[in-house]
Amino acid sequence: MSSQDIPEENLPAEQAEEHRAVAVADEQNPFADPGLPPHEHRIQDTDERAAKRSERMVALLFTVSMLATIAFIVAYLVIPNDKSIFVFPIGHISAMNFTLGLTLGVALFCIGAGAVHWARTLMSDVEVADDRHAIAASPEVRAKVHEDFRQGAKESAFGRRKLIRTTMFGALALVPLSGVMLLGGLGPAPGTKLRHTLWAKGKRLVNMNTNQPLRPEDVMVGSLTFAKPDGLEETDEEFQNDIAKAALMIVRLQPDNIKDKRELDWSHEGIVAFSKICTHVGCPISLYEQQTHHVLCPCHQSTFDLSDGARVIFGPAGHALPQLRIGVDSEGYLQALGDFEEPVGPAFWERG
Ligand code: FES
């Protein structure tokens, strides 16, 4: 005879509870609720020495987290930026990056592991089953939740286990310092650097592919030419920074097709020069549609009309591409007549 067949009042208390939890399958509920399995008590619930051991383990994990955060800060301050170390099987990597990653990882892991160990071994271990209920809770239910929350806080022994509480607060208070330290890596504010490029009056436009100064006759109708300032070489230490601001895009339009008066004044025989850097988030623009005079940024499809002051006609870019005023020098080469008159690239807080 199974326990289901014995009258509930004749069952031992534990089995009677289990018996009540089991719903018998019927037509409306074709799957019987198997009920909860018998509850197994943890050793920490019955042995205070085991509970103390768990408490020390949790405290140890939080303490290791604190030490790892301190190691992170020390590493950030003392390890030189250019120092590399060999790490198997990756090879040579930055000592600073490796140490920061390792210490921050240990600090966060130990907080998580400490919290999980605490919950699994020391917090209340009562199993509860509840029916699904409507999403909007009644005031009584909300009151019960608050009461349960208070009860949970009490049962977690948060107030009683001072060692855990102190070390946990220590670990949680220290770990954000890692993020604060990293703010130092943002470096000094750019000041006016974003407002100036290498372009200046008299700088020749040099073809980025051939490395030769450009003459007007080198720029054909329908072609898209990329240019850099004369004197800027790939071997220069600051090449990447400088080209990221100075990269230029040159096309030749029929002067009659140029709708924007200022654009026409700043062009030379229909040759117009615009910044190649998209004003959305700074991708290099690379696609030119010669029939419509549109250029397209491949990153998020911002489209600019080069015959109309490079204004935005589609996409997320916030403003037109800056134009560079150009002319020809005494030897017949295309030259800039000054720097861009507005910052190139994406909008930024100082743009004004
Ligand atoms: S960077 Fe060009 S559209 Fe986003």
Side-chain angles (χ1 to χ4, degrees):
M1 182 184 273
S2 82
S3 66
Q4 295 291 332
D5 304 323
I6 303 173
E8 202 171 291
E9 57 274 17
N10 296 342
L11 286 170
E14 206 170 276
Q15 278 189 33
E17 195 176 321
E18 199 182 321
H19 186 258
R20 274 196 296 278
V22 176
V24 179
D26 57 26
E27 275 179 18
Q28 264 104 43
N29 301 298
F31 300 101
D33 180 353
L36 291 174
H39 182 69
E40 284 177 27
H41 289 290
R42 304 166 305 188
I43 185 164
Q44 289 85 355
D45 296 331
T46 53
D47 180 354
E48 186 53 25
R49 283 194 310 176
K52 273 279 170 211
R53 272 201 303 277
S54 289
E55 182 176 4
R56 282 196 294 274
M57 174 56 75
V58 174
L60 177 68
L61 285 165
F62 288 154
T63 305
V64 172
S65 170
M66 286 191 279
L67 294 176
T69 300
I70 291 167
F72 177 98
I73 294 168
V74 173
Y76 184 81
L77 294 175
V78 303
I79 299 179
N81 262 338
D82 52 0
K83 186 171 174 49
S84 70
I85 52 170
F86 182 81
V87 178
F88 180 81
I90 308 169
H92 280 95
I93 57 171
S94 157
M96 163 88 89
N97 287 353
F98 176 75
T99 316
L100 295 187
L102 185 68
T103 50
L104 185 59
V106 169
L108 294 175
F109 174 81
C110 285
I111 288 180
V116 169
H117 193 60
W118 182 10
R120 286 179 63 92
T121 59
L122 295 172
M123 287 191 186
S124 170
D125 188 34
V126 179
E127 289 176 355
V128 197
D130 202 356
D131 287 337
R132 285 174 188 268
H133 50 76
I135 290 178
S138 65
E140 296 77 35
V141 171
R142 285 204 291 273
K144 183 169 183 313
V145 168
H146 289 151
E147 180 49 38
D148 287 351
F149 186 77
R150 274 192 289 274
Q151 181 70 13
K154 199 170 145 201
E155 286 176 357
S156 70
F158 194 74
R160 191 157 58 86
R161 302 208 182 267
K162 288 203 179 65
L163 185 57
I164 289 184
R165 197 180 54 193
T166 312
T167 51
M168 187 193 75
F169 281 143
L172 288 176
L174 277 187
V175 81
L177 285 182
S178 311
V180 174
M181 294 303 293
L182 290 179
L183 290 179
L186 294 177
T192 58
K193 279 192 203 157
L194 298 177
R195 297 189 176 278
H196 301 294
T197 72
L198 285 187
W199 292 109
K201 188 167 173 26
K203 273 268 180 200
R204 283 181 177 166
L205 279 56
V206 171
N207 187 317
M208 276 170 71
N209 291 328
T210 63
N211 222 16
Q212 296 299 316
L214 283 161
R215 291 175 179 276
E217 53 271 29
D218 297 330
V219 184
M220 306 295 172
V221 170
S223 67
L224 179 66
T225 307
F226 298 130
K228 62 177 182 172
D230 191 17
L232 177 61
E233 299 299 334
E234 285 191 26
T235 49
D236 293 349
E237 200 178 319
E238 286 293 305
F239 176 78
Q240 291 299 342
N241 283 340
D242 289 334
I243 198 66
K245 293 192 289 180
L248 209 59
M249 172 169 69
I250 302 166
V251 297
R252 184 192 279 271
L253 306 171
Q254 298 296 350
D256 291 347
N257 288 337
I258 299 179
K259 301 171 204 151
D260 185 277
K261 168 87 170 62
R262 190 188 86 163
E263 180 179 352
L264 188 60
D265 291 347
W266 287 18
S267 67
H268 175 78
E269 296 172 356
I271 299 172
V272 291
F274 286 96
S275 167
K276 178 177 157 56
I277 311 303
C278 179
T279 54
H280 178 218
V281 287
C283 285
I285 291 168
S286 56
L287 303 169
Y288 177 48
E289 215 294 296
Q290 57 170 292
Q291 303 296 326
T292 57
H293 317 301
H294 293 169
V295 284
L296 177 83
C297 174
C299 287
H300 314 99
Q301 283 71 53
S302 283
T303 308
F304 305 85
D305 184 355
L306 293 193
S307 67
D308 192 11
R311 72 182 173 88
V312 184
I313 57 167
F314 178 78
H319 52 269
L321 297 169
Q323 184 178 1
L324 188 73
R325 190 174 188 169
I326 56 170
V328 253
D329 63 15
S330 56
E331 295 174 47
Y333 289 103
L334 287 170
Q335 63 168 356
L337 298 180
D339 198 354
F340 288 103
E341 291 205 349
E342 55 192 314
V344 298
F348 53 94
W349 62 95
E350 294 145 319
R351 194 176 181 102

